[in-house]
Amino acid sequence: MPLVEVTHAPSVPERTLRDLGSVLPHLVSVAVECPEEPYDGDLQPGDVEIRFRAHGPFDRCGLPVVIEVRSKWFASRAADRQDRVDGLHEAIATATGLSDFGVYLSLPVAAWAQDH
């Protein structure tokens, strides 16, 4: 289950943020799918969590939008993580028209539980 945090400048239009919220669940799922956690295209509640955070008065940010993706470490994900994040960046740009943004992919050793 990926956790996604989108930090953004106040100048980023609400429409852009709405577009990101719409496309990120699928695009992130495609980017991190692996044999251990295959993506079947049928997202369920809890499959991808997205949080939006506006820059605060003390934040120092070089880009108007940074998308941080955290997803559980698996060797198959880690082996090609740069290709995954490059592909995700390209897919986001294509789907939203967004430019001047960054994507950070982190694969921590983690566990997840939720009610079914």
Side-chain angles (χ1 to χ4, degrees):
M1 190 227 36
L3 298 173
V4 181
E5 186 160 342
V6 179
T7 55
H8 60 88
S11 60
V12 176
E14 186 175 313
R15 174 72 181 169
T16 300
L17 299 175
R18 203 172 291 136
D19 288 348
L20 280 170
S22 175
V23 301
L24 280 175
H26 171 72
L27 296 180
V28 167
S29 295
V30 169
V32 301
E33 77 174 325
C34 63
E36 297 84 358
E37 288 186 346
Y39 175 49
D40 64 3
D42 184 25
L43 290 172
Q44 300 298 310
D47 284 351
V48 179
E49 293 291 316
I50 303 174
R51 299 178 189 118
F52 288 84
R53 306 275 189 259
H55 294 165
F58 303 110
D59 291 341
R60 298 293 172 255
C61 305
L63 294 169
V65 176
V66 172
I67 301 163
E68 181 180 351
V69 178
R70 292 183 306 273
S71 194
K72 187 177 177 182
W73 185 93
F74 290 108
S76 60
R77 275 188 185 140
D80 61 354
R81 65 183 160 256
Q82 188 63 52
D83 291 337
R84 290 171 183 272
V85 77
D86 289 342
L88 179 56
H89 187 278
E90 183 178 327
I92 292 167
T94 299
T96 66
L98 189 63
S99 61
D100 199 22
F101 71 101
V103 179
Y104 183 82
L105 174 61
S106 176
L107 302 173
V109 174
W112 171 255
Q114 77 179 59
D115 293 332
H116 293 278

